[in-house]
Amino acid sequence: MKPEEQLAFATIEDLSALLAKRKISPVELTELFLRRIDRQNPALNAFLTVTAEPALAAARRAEKEFLRNPRTRKRNQPLLGIPISLKDNIWTRGIRTTAGSKILRDFVPTADATVVQKLTRAGAILIGKTNLHEFAYGITNNNFHYGAAHNPWALDRITGGSSGGSGAAIAAGLCVASVGTDTGGSIRIPSSLCGIVGLKPTFGRVSVNGTVPLSPSLDHVGPLARSVADAAILLGLIAGRDPLDPTSSTERVQNYRGALGKPMRKFRLGVPREFYWEKLDGEVRSATEAAVREMKKQGAVVREVSLPHLKESIAAATDLSLAEATHVHAAAGYFPARAADYSEEVRQRIEAGEKITAMQYLAALDVRKRLLAEFDAAFQDVDAIVAPTTAVPAPLIGAENVQIDGQQTSVRPALVGLCRPANFTGLPAISVPCGFTREGLPIGLQLVGRAFDEATLLRIAHSYERAHEWNARHPRI
């Protein structure tokens, strides 16, 4: 691997060590990523906005800080000099935040989102805002207004959505890490399809203040990263109670990175009888079943668990998201006043939300209670639920259906179906790479954990990652 590629695909920890030893400067590192964006973004369309001038100015400030006080990074600014991206539905002061929409094409926030404030204090350098499905309301990242994001493993394939630009940017070595949002799998789907790590924390673990909402009872903010350790570092920096977000939790924020190095007793994995393993692409099934067998060989205890309301939860979660998204857009004054400015796909979904009755919404909340109780019962015997992240690898851009076991299946349920239960329940979930198809497309393994126990989830994922190092493979574009 060439020196530039070694840096482009390095982790936060690797780059932080090089910066601290002055083997590379923040300006040199930022310029490296800007060059790569300039070369590759025309093919990938991963970035909607590249913040070259502010990024270089921040890099120069970071360089002065390293010269002035080399210990600052470890003590106060663990991301000092590290170039990251943000999904373009996260507010950035003075930098446009489009949410992938025509309606917000020229919206420039006057304040940063809470997560941006925290990342800035940690020293991160914002290198750009990434492509997403319009208003984060979709799972392909085939954006009607700004164009599709292209998967760096195969340019004719989707990245997955809605945080697909972030997934492509990390996989292609255009930034070190990113922060996205996840309402029905929007962090984990692109992580699975692009071969990176994506973590959806527990509902309330990370503030959503300053993010463009979609479905407030299902919305989460979390990291997309090159490694489990990087995801742990980012979670530790962005988690915590926020007085500006009434849904944020007062639960103690742990040292997630530190937890990865602690000895762990044999962990217990639950394989659900229902839903998760029923309808899968053959190569996805082979890779994910092999991953479970390999974890068992490493000492994991694997048990079957029952979650009978999983199937019922998919329709219930859809009812919640449809109703809440329509309310959000009506309250913001976008719908129906600016209905013509939506893509047909998103407009149809918002119109569908008008048809959800109060009885349907309340019934969905009842299903949520029952499913949470079933997860709680399962977690008496296991530490995490294990399943594929998506039922298929990355479909072709523009495809409406995929083949599973010889049958035509709509792309949407094939991608969102296995991710949505963690949004519906608010439980934490992580996707890690677990293999590749014969065509070289990544496959993701998903772990779902107890509420606010991201530390255990990260430790299990880290244990698997260290044994297999799928993230050492990189696309050639």
Side-chain angles (χ1 to χ4, degrees):
M1 191 183 293
K2 296 177 181 178
E4 178 184 295
E5 291 182 336
Q6 289 178 336
L7 291 170
F9 292 106
T11 65
I12 290 173
E13 292 188 312
D14 292 338
L15 292 173
S16 293
L18 292 172
L19 287 164
K21 294 174 182 176
R22 301 187 193 176
K23 296 291 180 68
I24 190 169
S25 76
V27 172
E28 290 170 335
L29 190 60
T30 301
E31 288 175 339
L32 180 152
F33 282 109
L34 288 172
R35 286 195 304 271
R36 291 181 66 84
I37 292 170
D38 188 57
R39 289 198 304 266
Q40 297 183 26
N41 197 57
L44 295 172
N45 198 27
F47 285 88
L48 297 184
T49 300
V50 179
T51 54
E53 290 185 12
L56 287 169
R60 287 189 287 269
R61 290 193 297 272
E63 199 157 310
K64 289 179 181 177
E65 185 62 28
F66 271 114
L67 291 171
R68 187 181 70 83
N69 187 355
R71 296 185 179 182
T72 297
R73 181 193 63 81
K74 286 187 178 180
R75 188 169 61 247
N76 297 322
Q77 295 184 293
L79 297 183
L80 188 62
I82 301 295
I84 67 165
S85 66
L86 296 169
K87 184 177 181 177
D88 200 29
N89 62 344
I90 298 174
W91 283 25
T92 42
R93 182 168 58 88
I95 300 168
R96 73 170 186 161
T97 301
T98 70
S101 69
K102 179 179 179 181
I103 291 171
L104 295 178
R105 180 182 293 274
D106 299 315
F107 172 54
V108 178
T110 56
D112 282 327
T114 296
V115 291
V116 178
Q117 294 173 15
K118 291 184 174 185
L119 291 166
T120 301
R121 284 199 297 268
I125 294 172
L126 174 61
I127 205 163
K129 307 292 291 294
T130 55
N131 199 349
L132 68 156
H133 211 100
E134 181 184 0
F135 280 116
Y137 211 175
I139 45 75
T140 64
N141 214 136
N142 191 1
N143 189 298
F144 177 80
H145 306 289
Y146 301 92
H150 294 256
N151 196 312
W153 294 95
L155 293 176
D156 59 350
R157 302 279 175 160
I158 67 169
T159 58
S162 59
S163 309
S166 294
I170 296 167
L174 307 189
C175 63
V176 184
S178 192
V179 172
T181 62
D182 191 314
T183 304
S186 290
I187 287 171
R188 289 158 290 151
I189 294 167
S191 295
S192 176
L193 302 193
C194 293
I196 62 170
V197 175
L199 172 64
K200 181 200 77 67
T202 308
F203 183 80
R205 174 60 90 188
V206 178
S207 173
V208 297
N209 172 61
T211 60
V212 178
L214 176 57
S215 176
S217 76
L218 304 175
D219 291 345
H220 301 67
V221 173
L224 298 93
R226 201 169 304 292
S227 69
V228 173
D230 281 2
I233 291 168
L234 289 167
L235 178 62
L237 293 170
I238 64 177
R241 172 67 179 157
D242 177 13
L244 297 177
D245 174 11
T247 68
S248 65
S249 173
T250 58
E251 286 280 337
R252 182 176 66 88
V253 176
Q254 300 180 50
N255 178 357
Y256 301 109
R257 178 60 187 95
L260 300 185
K262 293 180 179 178
M264 188 174 183
R265 60 170 172 75
K266 287 185 178 181
F267 51 82
R268 303 164 299 166
L269 297 176
V271 177
R273 295 190 191 102
E274 302 86 2
F275 185 66
Y276 277 116
W277 294 89
E278 290 178 358
K279 193 172 183 180
L280 302 173
D281 170 85
E283 291 187 277
V284 170
R285 181 181 297 280
S286 295
T288 49
E289 286 182 346
V292 174
R293 287 195 302 270
E294 288 161 8
M295 286 194 282
K296 191 173 182 179
K297 287 179 183 176
Q298 294 168 25
V301 176
V302 178
R303 296 172 177 165
E304 198 174 68
V305 297
S306 182
L307 301 165
H309 283 91
L310 271 173
K311 284 185 179 178
E312 190 179 348
S313 77
I314 302 305
T318 299
D319 287 347
L320 286 185
S321 63
L322 286 171
E324 290 183 1
T326 301
H327 174 71
V328 164
H329 283 255
Y334 306 152
F335 184 83
R338 300 190 63 178
D341 289 334
Y342 292 93
S343 66
E344 182 180 359
E345 174 204 9
V346 172
R347 184 176 63 252
Q348 286 178 351
R349 294 191 66 78
I350 292 173
E351 289 170 348
E354 293 184 301
K355 300 177 176 65
I356 302 299
T357 67
M359 288 292 287
Q360 286 174 289
Y361 190 89
L362 293 172
L365 295 180
D366 285 341
V367 175
R368 174 187 276 169
K369 291 177 185 175
R370 290 194 289 273
L371 184 59
L372 263 172
E374 290 168 5
F375 269 102
D376 287 343
F379 287 132
Q380 299 302 309
D381 297 317
V382 300
D383 300 305
I385 303 298
V386 62
T389 307
T390 61
V392 294
L396 292 166
I397 293 173
E400 295 183 0
N401 298 292
V402 289
Q403 287 274 341
I404 302 179
D405 293 334
Q407 294 183 338
Q408 289 277 337
T409 301
S410 174
V411 165
R412 185 177 181 84
L415 295 180
V416 78
L418 305 184
C419 288
R420 175 147 273 178
N423 294 89
F424 189 54
T425 57
L427 295 172
I430 190 169
S431 178
V432 293
C434 72
F436 291 83
T437 67
R438 288 185 295 273
E439 291 182 290
L441 299 174
I443 297 169
L445 183 74
Q446 181 177 200
L447 297 162
V448 182
R450 298 182 187 88
F452 298 105
D453 191 16
E454 288 88 357
T456 296
L457 208 58
L458 287 160
R459 290 168 75 189
I460 296 171
H462 185 58
S463 172
Y464 175 76
E465 178 187 70
R466 281 188 305 170
H468 300 283
E469 296 186 337
W470 292 110
N471 57 1
R473 285 179 62 171
H474 309 301
R476 301 285 180 182
I477 63 169

XYZ file of all heavy atoms in Angstrom, residues 238-311:
591
model
N -19.358 12.095 21.993
C -20.634 12.737 21.639
C -21.781 12.356 22.563
O -22.846 12.984 22.524
C -21.028 12.434 20.174
C -21.285 10.936 19.966
C -19.972 12.963 19.224
C -21.753 10.577 18.548
N -21.601 11.338 23.416
C -22.686 10.883 24.294
C -22.874 11.835 25.466
O -21.994 12.621 25.807
C -22.398 9.473 24.794
N -24.054 11.738 26.096
C -24.282 12.476 27.337
C -25.542 13.320 27.314
O -26.099 13.639 26.263
N -25.976 13.676 28.489
C -27.171 14.490 28.676
C -26.993 15.871 28.053
O -25.927 16.488 28.157
C -27.450 14.642 30.177
C -28.552 15.632 30.546
C -29.911 15.184 30.096
N -30.950 16.124 30.480
C -32.133 16.240 29.874
N -32.421 15.450 28.856
N -33.020 17.112 30.267
N -28.031 16.340 27.379
C -28.024 17.664 26.754
C -29.298 18.396 27.163
O -30.396 17.955 26.818
C -27.956 17.518 25.238
C -28.018 18.851 24.506
O -27.860 19.905 25.169
O -28.221 18.842 23.276
N -29.199 19.511 27.892
C -30.409 20.236 28.310
C -31.235 20.745 27.127
O -32.418 21.049 27.295
C -29.857 21.396 29.145
C -28.416 21.501 28.796
C -27.973 20.127 28.424
N -30.627 20.826 25.939
C -31.365 21.280 24.760
C -32.137 20.150 24.081
O -32.884 20.399 23.139
C -30.396 21.914 23.762
C -29.669 23.168 24.252
C -28.683 23.657 23.202
C -30.664 24.266 24.613
N -31.947 18.927 24.551
C -32.662 17.769 23.994
C -33.377 17.044 25.129
O -32.753 16.286 25.877
C -31.680 16.826 23.300
C -32.358 15.538 22.823
O -33.601 15.465 22.846
O -31.630 14.600 22.429
N -34.684 17.239 25.273
C -35.409 16.605 26.379
C -35.442 15.087 26.315
O -35.736 14.438 27.315
C -36.828 17.190 26.252
C -36.939 17.673 24.846
C -35.553 18.087 24.442
N -35.126 14.503 25.151
C -35.102 13.031 25.059
C -33.744 12.450 25.458
O -33.613 11.234 25.557
C -35.433 12.554 23.631
O -34.368 12.923 22.735
C -36.735 13.160 23.131
N -32.742 13.297 25.674
C -31.419 12.770 26.021
C -31.420 12.269 27.457
O -32.125 12.778 28.323
C -30.341 13.837 25.827
O -30.518 14.919 26.709
N -30.604 11.260 27.699
C -30.625 10.532 28.964
C -29.548 11.026 29.925
O -28.493 11.515 29.516
C -30.415 9.037 28.698
O -30.281 8.325 29.901
N -29.825 10.846 31.205
C -28.844 11.151 32.252
C -27.985 9.945 32.603
O -27.144 10.028 33.500
C -29.558 11.634 33.534
O -30.467 10.614 33.967
C -30.324 12.930 33.277
N -28.182 8.817 31.898
C -27.364 7.626 32.153
C -25.876 7.955 32.017
O -25.470 8.692 31.113
C -27.708 6.511 31.162
C -29.020 5.823 31.429
C -28.911 4.771 32.532
O -27.784 4.277 32.776
O -29.943 4.446 33.123
N -25.074 7.396 32.902
C -23.641 7.686 32.926
C -22.976 7.268 31.609
O -23.232 6.201 31.080
C -22.987 6.926 34.090
C -21.492 7.187 34.251
C -20.950 6.469 35.472
N -21.002 5.018 35.317
C -20.031 4.293 34.765
N -18.938 4.893 34.305
N -20.139 2.981 34.676
N -22.118 8.145 31.107
C -21.334 7.842 29.913
C -20.064 7.113 30.341
O -19.318 7.591 31.193
C -20.965 9.130 29.151
C -20.060 8.808 27.964
C -22.230 9.846 28.674
N -19.836 5.958 29.780
C -18.688 5.147 30.164
C -17.460 5.466 29.314
O -17.550 6.146 28.290
C -19.038 3.664 30.021
C -20.219 3.225 30.885
C -20.519 1.752 30.698
O -19.637 0.904 30.786
N -21.780 1.431 30.435
N -16.334 4.944 29.733
C -15.109 5.012 28.930
C -15.155 3.842 27.953
O -14.640 2.759 28.231
C -13.877 4.934 29.828
C -12.576 4.959 29.034
O -12.582 4.984 27.800
N -11.458 4.944 29.731
N -15.781 4.066 26.817
C -16.024 2.963 25.883
C -14.726 2.439 25.284
O -14.565 1.228 25.107
C -16.978 3.422 24.777
C -18.300 3.894 25.318
C -18.644 5.244 25.291
C -19.201 2.999 25.882
C -19.854 5.684 25.799
C -20.414 3.428 26.398
C -20.732 4.778 26.357
O -21.923 5.213 26.869
N -13.801 3.332 24.963
C -12.530 2.862 24.413
C -11.760 2.066 25.467
O -11.185 1.019 25.170
C -11.679 4.058 23.924
C -10.306 3.638 23.374
C -10.461 2.709 22.202
N -9.195 2.132 21.733
C -8.728 0.949 22.098
N -9.381 0.195 22.986
N -7.601 0.491 21.595
N -11.749 2.545 26.689
C -11.063 1.828 27.754
C -11.653 0.461 28.009
O -10.932 -0.492 28.342
N -12.973 0.341 27.822
C -13.649 -0.938 28.077
C -13.189 -2.023 27.117
O -13.237 -3.215 27.446
C -15.161 -0.764 27.968
N -12.717 -1.643 25.935
C -12.312 -2.648 24.951
C -11.097 -3.443 25.404
O -10.907 -4.586 24.988
C -12.001 -1.980 23.601
C -13.131 -1.210 22.927
C -12.686 -0.725 21.564
C -14.386 -2.058 22.800
N -10.288 -2.848 26.253
C -9.081 -3.536 26.697
C -9.257 -4.375 27.940
O -8.319 -5.058 28.376
N -10.452 -4.356 28.530
C -10.682 -5.118 29.760
C -10.969 -6.583 29.447
O -11.630 -6.895 28.458
C -11.854 -4.520 30.536
C -11.579 -3.119 31.083
C -12.775 -2.594 31.837
C -12.499 -1.199 32.401
N -13.679 -0.655 33.113
N -10.484 -7.487 30.298
C -10.794 -8.916 30.092
C -12.299 -9.136 30.125
O -13.019 -8.480 30.890
C -10.106 -9.612 31.267
C -9.113 -8.635 31.786
C -9.652 -7.275 31.491
N -12.770 -10.042 29.299
C -14.208 -10.298 29.234
C -14.476 -11.784 29.404
O -13.839 -12.618 28.759
C -14.763 -9.812 27.894
C -16.276 -9.868 27.810
S -16.876 -9.125 26.273
C -18.643 -9.277 26.527
N -15.402 -12.098 30.283
C -15.812 -13.493 30.422
C -16.439 -13.956 29.104
O -16.716 -13.155 28.229
C -16.824 -13.628 31.555
C -18.075 -12.808 31.332
C -19.161 -13.124 32.335
N -20.272 -12.201 32.221
C -21.169 -12.221 31.276
N -21.101 -13.114 30.301
N -22.160 -11.341 31.264
N -16.656 -15.219 28.965
C -17.301 -15.721 27.759
C -18.618 -14.981 27.535
O -19.490 -14.961 28.403
C -17.583 -17.216 27.882
C -16.336 -18.089 27.785
C -16.717 -19.560 27.787
C -15.484 -20.436 27.640
N -15.838 -21.873 27.615
N -18.732 -14.364 26.401
C -19.995 -13.655 26.149
C -21.018 -14.605 25.543
O -20.682 -15.607 24.916
C -19.780 -12.421 25.273
C -19.024 -12.637 23.999
C -19.652 -13.120 22.868
C -17.675 -12.326 23.917
C -18.972 -13.298 21.685
C -16.968 -12.498 22.739
C -17.618 -12.992 21.616
N -22.273 -14.259 25.765
C -23.393 -15.106 25.356
C -24.162 -14.417 24.234
O -24.610 -13.282 24.396
C -24.308 -15.363 26.548
C -23.603 -16.009 27.747
C -24.441 -15.874 29.013
N -24.673 -14.483 29.354
C -25.575 -14.057 30.237
N -26.333 -14.931 30.873
N -25.725 -12.767 30.484
N -24.314 -15.115 23.118
C -25.007 -14.564 21.964
C -26.352 -15.256 21.778
O -26.438 -16.483 21.874
C -24.167 -14.752 20.702
C -22.802 -14.040 20.665
C -22.067 -14.413 19.389
C -22.975 -12.536 20.777
N -27.379 -14.457 21.497
C -28.701 -15.000 21.243
C -29.021 -14.981 19.752
O -28.905 -13.942 19.090
N -29.407 -16.131 19.213
C -29.838 -16.244 17.819
C -31.355 -16.342 17.807
O -31.913 -17.349 18.273
C -29.213 -17.481 17.142
C -29.734 -17.627 15.716
C -27.696 -17.376 17.149
N -32.054 -15.328 17.329
C -33.525 -15.354 17.376
C -34.119 -16.436 16.478
O -33.655 -16.651 15.355
C -33.930 -13.962 16.880
C -32.707 -13.123 17.048
C -31.557 -14.049 16.822
N -35.146 -17.102 16.988
C -35.868 -18.094 16.174
C -36.655 -17.388 15.063
O -36.858 -17.940 13.994
C -36.862 -18.881 17.030
C -36.243 -19.742 18.111
C -37.297 -20.653 18.735
N -36.794 -21.285 19.931
C -37.096 -20.896 21.170
N -37.920 -19.892 21.350
N -36.582 -21.517 22.214
N -37.123 -16.197 15.379
C -38.050 -15.518 14.488
C -37.352 -14.424 13.662
O -36.458 -13.742 14.134
C -39.196 -14.859 15.281
C -40.012 -15.804 16.139
C -39.408 -16.029 17.529
O -38.365 -15.407 17.836
O -39.976 -16.831 18.280
N -37.772 -14.305 12.419
C -37.586 -13.142 11.552
C -36.161 -12.905 11.062
O -35.904 -12.923 9.866
C -38.120 -11.890 12.261
C -38.083 -10.652 11.407
C -38.886 -10.555 10.288
C -37.241 -9.603 11.701
C -38.850 -9.425 9.480
C -37.193 -8.467 10.901
C -37.997 -8.391 9.790
N -35.215 -12.661 11.973
C -33.895 -12.192 11.571
C -33.190 -13.128 10.580
O -32.468 -12.681 9.690
C -32.991 -12.019 12.788
C -33.152 -10.716 13.532
C -33.619 -10.707 14.847
C -32.817 -9.505 12.959
C -33.749 -9.516 15.561
C -32.937 -8.316 13.657
C -33.402 -8.325 14.961
O -33.521 -7.146 15.663
N -33.349 -14.432 10.760
C -32.591 -15.389 9.955
C -33.454 -16.112 8.920
O -33.032 -17.095 8.326
C -31.923 -16.424 10.871
C -30.874 -15.830 11.748
C -31.024 -15.287 12.985
C -29.478 -15.690 11.434
N -29.835 -14.824 13.472
C -28.854 -15.066 12.545
C -28.692 -16.058 10.341
C -27.489 -14.779 12.571
C -27.332 -15.778 10.364
C -26.747 -15.148 11.479
N -34.644 -15.614 8.673
C -35.583 -16.368 7.845
C -35.395 -16.172 6.342
O -35.452 -17.128 5.578
C -37.024 -16.004 8.237
C -37.415 -16.548 9.616
C -38.821 -16.138 10.015
O -39.475 -15.400 9.247
O -39.264 -16.543 11.107
N -35.227 -14.943 5.888
C -35.215 -14.660 4.444
C -33.963 -13.867 4.109
O -33.929 -12.636 4.236
C -36.472 -13.882 4.045
C -36.703 -13.816 2.544
C -38.053 -13.195 2.225
C -38.315 -13.206 0.718
N -39.615 -12.617 0.373
N -32.895 -14.591 3.673
C -31.593 -13.975 3.451
C -31.014 -14.394 2.108
O -31.206 -15.536 1.666
C -30.604 -14.387 4.547
C -30.957 -14.087 5.999
C -29.926 -14.720 6.923
C -31.039 -12.586 6.231
N -30.291 -13.488 1.484
C -29.462 -13.846 0.337
C -28.503 -14.960 0.750
O -27.991 -14.977 1.883
C -28.677 -12.602 -0.103
C -27.610 -12.907 -1.109
O -27.922 -12.955 -2.307
O -26.442 -13.130 -0.680
N -28.243 -15.889 -0.152
C -27.429 -17.052 0.194
C -26.036 -16.696 0.684
O -25.534 -17.292 1.656
N -25.388 -15.721 0.048
C -24.034 -15.357 0.463
C -24.036 -14.607 1.794
O -23.115 -14.762 2.598
C -23.356 -14.533 -0.628
C -23.040 -15.344 -1.870
C -22.225 -14.561 -2.875
O -22.829 -13.791 -3.662
O -20.991 -14.695 -2.880
N -25.070 -13.825 2.022
C -25.208 -13.161 3.327
C -25.394 -14.207 4.413
O -24.776 -14.141 5.486
C -26.378 -12.162 3.315
C -26.685 -11.663 4.721
C -26.067 -10.979 2.402
N -26.241 -15.187 4.146
C -26.465 -16.243 5.142
C -25.165 -16.986 5.444
O -24.815 -17.211 6.604
C -27.534 -17.229 4.649
C -27.833 -18.340 5.667
C -28.873 -19.310 5.158
N -30.166 -18.684 4.933
C -31.045 -18.424 5.892
N -30.752 -18.718 7.156
N -32.199 -17.866 5.600
N -24.444 -17.364 4.403
C -23.204 -18.128 4.600
C -22.201 -17.341 5.442
O -21.591 -17.885 6.376
C -22.583 -18.487 3.250
O -23.428 -19.361 2.531
N -22.021 -16.056 5.113
C -21.022 -15.243 5.806
C -21.408 -14.985 7.258
O -20.567 -15.078 8.166
C -20.820 -13.916 5.071
N -22.671 -14.681 7.495
C -23.085 -14.350 8.862
C -23.173 -15.596 9.737
O -22.808 -15.559 10.918
C -24.426 -13.600 8.856
O -25.381 -14.302 8.037
C -24.254 -12.185 8.299
N -23.624 -16.719 9.168
C -23.626 -17.969 9.946
C -22.195 -18.387 10.271
O -21.919 -18.866 11.385
C -24.352 -19.067 9.178
C -25.868 -18.895 9.162
C -26.575 -20.029 8.430
O -25.889 -20.794 7.709
O -27.815 -20.139 8.574
N -21.276 -18.200 9.330
C -19.871 -18.520 9.586
C -19.309 -17.648 10.694
O -18.540 -18.118 11.551
C -19.052 -18.337 8.308
N -19.706 -16.369 10.718
C -19.237 -15.460 11.770
C -19.701 -15.931 13.143
O -18.939 -15.897 14.117
C -19.741 -14.045 11.496
N -20.943 -16.386 13.236
C -21.462 -16.882 14.517
C -20.704 -18.141 14.936
O -20.329 -18.306 16.102
C -22.976 -17.155 14.422
C -23.486 -17.804 15.705
C -23.739 -15.852 14.164
N -20.463 -19.055 13.975
C -19.709 -20.280 14.301
C -18.300 -19.931 14.786
O -17.786 -20.536 15.730
C -19.623 -21.183 13.070
C -20.922 -21.889 12.715
C -20.680 -23.029 11.739
N -20.042 -22.589 10.504
C -20.706 -22.184 9.419
N -22.036 -22.147 9.437
N -20.059 -21.818 8.328
N -17.687 -18.957 14.141
C -16.320 -18.579 14.515
C -16.279 -17.953 15.913
O -15.357 -18.200 16.685
C -15.751 -17.613 13.473
C -15.427 -18.320 12.151
C -15.314 -17.369 10.981
O -15.337 -16.147 11.216
O -15.200 -17.849 9.839
N -17.293 -17.156 16.244
C -17.335 -16.588 17.598
C -17.543 -17.690 18.631
O -17.006 -17.618 19.737
C -18.421 -15.505 17.692
C -18.023 -14.212 16.995
S -19.082 -12.792 17.412
C -20.484 -13.154 16.405
N -18.303 -18.703 18.240
C -18.490 -19.844 19.147
C -17.165 -20.571 19.365
O -16.838 -20.961 20.495
C -19.545 -20.789 18.565
C -20.010 -21.866 19.517
C -21.178 -22.648 18.937
C -21.666 -23.700 19.914
N -22.829 -24.459 19.359
N -16.385 -20.729 18.297
C -15.070 -21.364 18.424
C -14.149 -20.549 19.334
O -13.286 -21.100 20.018
C -14.419 -21.525 17.052
C -15.038 -22.605 16.184
C -14.335 -22.667 14.830
C -14.993 -23.682 13.919
N -14.370 -23.685 12.565
N -14.330 -19.226 19.318
C -13.514 -18.349 20.166
C -13.953 -18.376 21.634
O -13.309 -17.764 22.476
C -13.585 -16.913 19.651
C -12.955 -16.699 18.295
C -13.301 -15.334 17.709
O -13.597 -14.382 18.428
N -13.271 -15.234 16.390
N -15.047 -19.081 21.912
C -15.480 -19.207 23.301
C -16.838 -18.636 23.614
O -17.312 -18.748 24.750
N -17.501 -18.024 22.625
C -18.833 -17.483 22.882
C -19.832 -18.609 23.110
O -19.736 -19.679 22.503
C -19.288 -16.621 21.707
N -20.785 -18.362 23.975
C -21.914 -19.269 24.178
C -23.044 -18.794 23.273
O -23.447 -17.633 23.353
C -22.363 -19.277 25.648
C -23.600 -20.154 25.821
C -21.233 -19.736 26.551
N -23.534 -19.654 22.407
C -24.584 -19.275 21.460
C -25.865 -20.010 21.828
O -25.884 -21.243 21.933
C -24.172 -19.604 20.014
C -25.290 -19.245 19.042
C -22.886 -18.867 19.649
N -26.930 -19.235 22.040
C -28.215 -19.808 22.437
C -29.324 -19.291 21.532
O -29.261 -18.160 21.036
C -28.554 -19.407 23.883
C -27.579 -19.961 24.914
C -27.847 -19.377 26.268
N -26.960 -19.952 27.276
C -26.762 -19.452 28.481
N -27.401 -18.352 28.848
N -25.939 -20.035 29.334
N -30.330 -20.107 21.348
C -31.512 -19.672 20.615
C -32.419 -18.885 21.553
O -32.576 -19.252 22.721
C -32.255 -20.897 20.072
C -33.232 -20.566 18.959
C -33.850 -21.820 18.351
O -34.624 -22.489 19.071
O -33.547 -22.134 17.184
N -32.981 -17.782 21.060
C -33.907 -16.979 21.857
C -35.170 -16.743 21.040
O -35.180 -16.888 19.821
C -33.290 -15.628 22.277
C -32.080 -15.836 23.178
C -32.916 -14.793 21.063
N -36.234 -16.366 21.738
C -37.516 -16.131 21.069
C -37.952 -14.681 21.236
O -37.947 -14.144 22.349
C -38.590 -17.064 21.640
O -39.819 -16.875 20.958
N -38.302 -14.061 20.106
C -38.809 -12.685 20.080
C -40.056 -12.676 19.190
O -40.035 -12.214 18.049
C -37.740 -11.734 19.526
C -36.402 -11.685 20.297
C -35.324 -11.008 19.458
C -36.581 -10.952 21.620
N -41.174 -13.194 19.699
C -42.349 -13.451 18.851
C -42.945 -12.223 18.166
O -43.596 -12.364 17.127
C -43.360 -14.054 19.842
C -42.539 -14.569 20.968
C -41.361 -13.660 21.074
N -42.749 -11.027 18.740
C -43.384 -9.846 18.157
C -42.490 -9.121 17.155
O -42.812 -7.996 16.745
C -43.838 -8.896 19.266
C -45.089 -9.336 19.944
N -45.078 -10.148 21.066
C -46.395 -9.125 19.649
C -46.321 -10.385 21.445
N -47.142 -9.780 20.601
N -41.402 -9.735 16.739
C -40.523 -9.083 15.776
C -41.234 -8.762 14.461
O -41.162 -7.639 13.960
C -39.307 -9.971 15.487
C -38.095 -9.780 16.394
C -37.050 -10.835 16.090
C -37.505 -8.396 16.234
N -41.904 -9.746 13.895
C -42.564 -9.506 12.616
C -43.627 -8.419 12.731
O -43.740 -7.541 11.874
C -43.198 -10.806 12.103
C -42.195 -11.788 11.522
C -42.882 -12.986 10.915
C -41.865 -13.951 10.325
N -42.513 -15.153 9.758
